Amino acid sequence: MTATDKLIIFDTTLRDGEQSPGVTLNTDEKIEIAKQLSRLGVDVLEAGFPIASVGDFEAVQRIAREVGPLMVGREKIGHPMTICGLARSTPGDIKRCAEAIASAPRKRIHVFLATSDLHLKYKLKIDREECIKRAVAAVTLARTFVDDVEFSPEDASRSDPDFLCQVLGKVIEAGATTLNIPDTVGYNLPEEYGNLIKYLVQNTPGSEKAIFSTHCHNDLGLATANTLAGIYNGARQVEVTINGIGERAGNTAMEEIVMAVHTHPNYYPVHHTINTTMIYRTSQMVSSLSGMIVQPNKAIVGRNAFLHESGIHQDGVLKNRQTYEIITPETVGVTDINLVLGKHSGRNAFRERCKELGFTDMLEEDFQKAFDNFKALCDKKKNVNDADILAILSNQIGANTTSSFYTLVSSQVVAGANTTSMASVKLYNVKEDKEVSDAAVGVNGPVDAIFEAIQRIIGRRFLLTKFDISAVGEGSDALGKAEIQVKADPSCSHEHDSRLTKAAFASSTADVDIITAVTKAYLSAINKQLAWEHEVATGTAPSIGEERKIDL
């Protein structure tokens, strides 16, 4: 077999992915995702934009310190994940970034500067000569802190190719080791983008000393195609996000690139070191914590990705799966194994299944909580499968990463056709260490009544900005999953800080009782809002989307 180059997987879920409208991850959620990306086999993790706020700085710093050294699941790779921070081409940004990532064993500073004439004239108001000076100065300063420096010419796809070669050649001289070529507005077609990468590789002075990278947006639905064209024409790093999340139409989806290369080993001159069996679990975690639902027909990780409706297809798959499946579900971690709880073997069977699903480093306390929830579910369901276990563990992660101001004690609803819905809710106020309860009438049904009762207890009004429910699996006893997003109601007079009404917070919870799932998810989202407001008051809150927006 012909030797191939290593394809570097650069994940920007926690930076560019978090710029998705309505996505605000807290630090603990970012750390959980970062740990999972490390186990998945990601080569470089862009942990954030440290200069954006104290909260963003602390999140990147904790990831560098707590996740940077981890080797779990990376034994074959042989080294930990590189932790990267983003910085504008200014001394303040670069120094702050260097401080944030300092404790990581492997670290990188990613600096960027616009190079298109459009941006130079109207945004930066500088000429080409000044652009080169700033780019060189930024890379030179970054190299005083780290040996691994990435440079991105913002709006590269609309920049003059010859000027681009000139800029890139100069930053290579200054010490840049990776050159990232962004299609900032998702404008290029695959042939155009592939030809641009090829031209830059062939015409940039000193190009053999650097790795060329892709960064594509999905505005025309071509992010994956453009990235693959870049690989074919010389790029050896790809910048991607889990599930393709990101602002506007999103970024290149990691799972699509990895599996395209995986299924075409003789076509693309590269290989990857991603543990593909952990792709589905990672997708579910990011979806759950970010509140970004994966569309059913999403390639690789969508609910319908391995379903066959056509009778001809079904017959073929039953006889030989290769007739209509180019990827087996197990390859990306999608399984349908049923576990039946036994009096003696249940605990061990559950622990082993958790390990097989990728949960290899659970604390004993967390495992016991998950196992208790598993036993409770087995009392209500005849068969418990992997999807149910993943839902249980996702609930656990969500509970562990959210500071609770209120927890659910009990809820009760009365509802029916042609009748007014009523709900009574009892919550535990953690700060005041007491139980509080209230009841409400729901004009629009039992869920409305539940939400109204919770708002009456808390004494706050919240806007519901997203509400989705779905079944985990099939059957009337399937778990119901609620995915909810809220933000503070700006019409309330005490919400004097406009910043508090712009941030949105999402949560998802699964339960056999869909009303309970909705109640818990709604309360969890509110807890995130309250925790963030507390951080705002103390000056440690992470930035919201419009504050950290970076166009690459």
Side-chain angles (χ1 to χ4, degrees):
M1 184 175 178
T2 305
T4 57
D5 297 330
K6 168 73 166 69
L7 180 65
I8 298 169
I9 304 297
F10 178 112
D11 184 274
T12 184
T13 300
L14 297 182
R15 203 279 301 168
D16 210 341
E18 202 196 6
Q19 288 184 199
S20 303
V23 174
T24 305
L25 298 168
N26 63 40
T27 298
D28 289 330
E29 289 170 332
K30 290 181 180 181
I31 288 173
E32 284 298 324
I33 292 173
K35 288 179 179 178
Q36 178 60 20
L37 293 172
S38 176
R39 290 188 288 261
L40 180 65
V42 164
D43 299 296
V44 184
L45 171 66
E46 190 166 48
F49 185 40
I51 197 70
S53 71
V54 173
D56 288 272
F57 174 85
E58 292 178 349
V60 175
Q61 189 176 55
R62 282 190 59 188
I63 290 171
R65 182 173 62 247
E66 299 175 27
V67 183
L70 296 181
M71 283 297 295
V72 177
R74 306 183 64 86
E75 293 79 7
K76 291 183 179 179
I77 297 174
H79 56 76
M81 183 168 62
T82 296
I83 306 301
C84 175
L86 182 68
R88 291 168 297 192
S89 293
T90 62
D93 274 36
I94 294 168
K95 292 175 182 178
R96 189 67 166 163
C97 183
E99 184 183 356
I101 63 173
S103 59
R106 297 170 66 92
K107 44 189 171 282
R108 173 186 295 187
I109 294 176
H110 180 189
V111 296
F112 68 96
L113 183 68
T115 54
S116 70
D117 289 330
L118 189 66
H119 280 239
L120 294 182
K121 181 178 180 179
Y122 293 103
K123 189 176 80 170
L124 299 179
K125 302 185 187 307
I126 60 175
D127 58 22
R128 288 184 173 187
E129 184 178 352
E130 178 63 21
C131 175
I132 293 175
K133 287 181 180 178
R134 291 189 185 184
V136 169
V139 171
T140 301
L141 178 59
R143 277 302 300 259
T144 65
F145 297 106
V146 296
D147 294 328
D148 189 356
V149 175
E150 177 172 334
F151 176 77
S152 287
E154 183 187 347
D155 204 24
S157 63
R158 295 192 298 178
S159 299
D160 173 45
D162 292 325
F163 176 61
L164 208 50
C165 289
Q166 188 180 358
V167 175
L168 296 178
K170 292 297 183 182
V171 296
I172 291 174
E173 287 181 12
T177 51
T178 299
L179 306 175
N180 180 51
I181 312 302
D183 181 18
T184 301
V185 293
Y187 175 76
N188 276 170
L189 300 177
E191 187 175 2
E192 291 176 314
Y193 189 75
N195 286 338
L196 175 61
I197 295 293
K198 185 176 181 179
Y199 184 84
L200 296 176
V201 171
Q202 292 178 345
N203 294 280
T204 297
S207 62
E208 71 282 355
K209 300 176 184 177
I211 292 172
F212 281 79
S213 170
T214 67
H215 184 111
C216 299
H217 286 268
N218 205 38
D219 298 72
L220 295 177
L222 296 171
T224 294
N226 286 348
T227 299
L228 290 172
I231 294 172
Y232 190 79
N233 285 281
R236 292 298 178 263
Q237 175 180 285
V238 291
E239 301 203 352
V240 293
T241 63
I242 299 298
N243 300 333
I245 67 172
E247 62 180 324
R248 304 191 312 275
N251 292 273
T252 305
M254 178 202 289
E255 60 275 9
E256 295 176 14
I257 295 300
V258 168
M259 295 314 298
V261 171
H262 193 83
T263 55
H264 295 78
N266 298 320
Y267 184 78
Y268 293 104
V270 295
H271 64 275
H272 67 82
T273 52
I274 292 293
N275 180 356
T276 63
T277 61
M278 300 192 77
I279 286 177
Y280 182 72
R281 180 206 159 183
T282 308
S283 166
Q284 291 294 297
M285 175 188 284
V286 170
S287 174
S288 176
L289 295 180
S290 69
M292 296 289 288
I293 299 171
V294 178
Q295 66 192 61
N297 63 331
K298 169 74 174 66
I300 314 300
V301 293
R303 188 176 65 231
N304 297 348
F306 298 101
L307 296 181
H308 300 274
E309 188 73 19
S310 164
I312 295 175
H313 285 208
Q314 290 174 344
D315 180 65
V317 169
L318 288 173
K319 292 175 179 176
N320 187 321
R321 297 177 79 167
Q322 291 182 341
T323 54
Y324 289 102
E325 284 187 354
I326 61 170
I327 304 168
T328 65
E330 294 79 10
T331 302
V332 295
V334 177
T335 61
D336 190 25
I337 298 175
N338 290 327
L339 272 181
V340 180
L341 182 66
K343 290 183 178 180
H344 304 293
S345 62
R347 182 182 175 85
N348 290 333
F350 182 70
R351 186 187 294 276
E352 287 305 309
R353 195 66 201 132
C354 286
K355 289 181 179 179
E356 290 170 6
L357 290 172
F359 292 80
T360 58
D361 55 352
M362 293 179 67
L363 297 175
E364 183 60 32
E365 179 183 358
D366 292 337
F367 171 77
Q368 186 58 50
K369 289 179 182 178
F371 181 61
D372 290 342
N373 291 331
F374 174 64
K375 288 195 297 182
L377 181 59
C378 287
D379 289 335
K380 300 173 182 178
K381 286 193 67 178
K382 182 177 180 180
N383 293 316
V384 177
N385 59 30
D386 283 351
D388 297 317
I389 296 173
L390 283 171
I392 290 171
L393 295 172
S394 293
N395 286 351
Q396 187 85 22
I397 291 171
N400 288 346
T401 56
T402 303
S403 298
S404 293
F405 285 69
Y406 296 89
T407 59
L408 179 65
V409 177
S410 64
S411 63
Q412 185 175 10
V413 296
V414 176
N418 301 316
T419 185
T420 301
S421 297
M422 295 177 287
S424 61
V425 177
K426 181 184 291 185
L427 303 180
Y428 172 66
N429 186 322
V430 176
K431 184 178 180 180
E432 298 181 8
D433 189 24
K434 67 177 184 180
E435 292 183 352
V436 285
S437 59
D438 209 327
V441 172
V443 177
N444 298 310
V447 172
D448 184 34
I450 286 280
F451 291 173
E452 186 64 30
I454 291 175
Q455 291 180 103
R456 286 168 62 91
I457 292 173
I458 296 175
R460 291 280 302 277
R461 305 298 300 179
F462 300 93
L463 290 179
L464 183 67
T465 55
K466 183 185 293 183
F467 178 72
D468 289 285
I469 57 174
S470 58
V472 179
E474 300 177 346
S476 60
D477 63 350
L479 286 174
K481 184 177 183 181
E483 299 177 90
I484 285 175
Q485 184 183 80
V486 302
K487 64 180 181 179
D489 189 341
S491 65
C492 296
S493 59
H494 63 274
E495 298 295 352
H496 57 278
D497 187 344
S498 62
R499 188 181 185 218
L500 299 181
T501 62
K502 292 178 180 178
F505 297 86
S507 184
S508 65
T509 303
D511 196 279
V512 288
D513 184 336
I514 190 60
I515 294 294
T516 300
V518 167
T519 306
K520 289 180 177 179
Y522 185 67
L523 189 59
S524 177
I526 289 175
N527 275 323
K528 289 183 180 182
Q529 172 82 34
L530 297 177
W532 184 77
E533 289 178 3
H534 175 73
E535 291 174 342
V536 169
T538 59
T540 60
S543 58
I544 58 177
E546 63 186 57
E547 296 170 337
R548 62 174 177 267
K549 184 176 180 181
I550 298 296
D551 292 317
L552 271 188

